[in-house]
Amino acid sequence: MHLRIAQLASDFEGRRVVSMLGRVASFADALEENPAPRRLGDVRLRYEPGRLLGESLPPPFLQRQLPGACLVLAALCAAGAVGAVLWGSGGERLPPLPVGLGVLSAALVGFALRLEGQLGRRRFVLHFPSERLRVEQLRWAPGATQKEWVPFDAVTAVEVVERVPRRYALVVVWRAGEKEGPRRAVLVDHIGASEEEALFRVWRLLHNAFGLRGAGLA
């Protein structure tokens, strides 16, 4: 897969070399040559004047309801445990039923939190007038969304990373500071081998937008 993309990059460079006057112009020219697909992997892409937006697809409706359902079950188990303790309060030893219900309630809460964490979505926006990349981790809980701004000049690479055989992710790498190591963020995930051409176009567009040189891949 990586060799094929590298070959496509080499062929692209051999067919045409475009003189660019700036990053915005570079991106506009690259977009005209290779229109960005509307979807890649788990992300929808949209180009607006001056910016490129990508947002991961929302999870299915039933998957979004699972954390809430687990919390409801946890509350019922906790109420059952309290009721069982009060009902059998005359004994010296704690009955096994309330203990089991309490353990099950705690397990359901932990499982709900884990599911909630998996529901987080990703969004990235390339702002060309300000030459900055905005990377967001969207959460369903109000106020839990994480946002970070990355100057284009800080971006050092756009990598294609193989997650599992024939499944890929598009990752951006940037310098966070002199005392910190490089930072990484997944822009697109769950890219199949059948999306090779679309992957190359998006990789190329991002590569031009950040003003990177060369065609090295991870």
Side-chain angles (χ1 to χ4, degrees), residues 65-81 101-102 104-109 111-112:
Q65 306 308 311
L66 279 178
C70 289
L71 291 177
V72 171
L73 290 176
L76 293 176
C77 289
L101 289 175
L104 180 58
S105 176
L108 286 171
V109 171
F111 186 59

Side-chain angles (χ1 to χ4, degrees), residues 28-151:
D29 290 345
L31 187 65
E32 183 178 354
E33 291 287 336
N34 297 277
R38 295 183 177 181
R39 178 175 172 178
L40 176 65
D42 64 347
V43 167
R44 287 197 184 100
L45 296 167
R46 184 172 77 255
Y47 178 70
E48 298 176 355
R51 62 179 187 170
L52 174 69
L53 301 92
E55 185 169 309
S56 60
L57 302 173
F61 175 78
L62 292 179
Q63 186 177 350
R64 296 200 302 269
Q65 306 308 311
L66 279 178
C70 289
L71 291 177
V72 171
L73 290 176
L76 293 176
C77 289
V82 173
V85 169
L86 295 177
W87 183 265
S89 59
E92 296 181 357
R93 298 182 59 184
L94 191 63
L97 179 58
V99 174
L101 289 175
V103 171
L104 180 58
S105 176
L108 286 171
V109 171
F111 186 59
L113 293 176
R114 181 179 178 183
L115 290 176
E116 182 70 24
Q118 294 175 350
L119 290 178
R121 298 167 61 195
R122 304 181 313 281
R123 179 166 58 202
F124 66 90
V125 183
L126 276 73
H127 289 265
F128 295 100
S130 62
E131 295 190 347
R132 293 192 301 170
L133 166 68
R134 189 174 80 227
V135 180
E136 297 179 349
Q137 293 292 329
L138 309 177
R139 305 294 183 188
W140 295 105
T145 295
Q146 299 177 354
K147 182 187 303 183
E148 185 164 4
W149 288 92
V150 181

Side-chain angles (χ1 to χ4, degrees), residues 171-191:
V171 178
V172 63
V173 184
W174 71 90
R175 299 182 303 271
E178 295 181 358
K179 297 183 179 180
E180 300 182 26
R183 298 278 301 278
R184 303 164 67 91
V186 176
L187 300 184
V188 187
D189 208 346
H190 305 295
I191 304 172

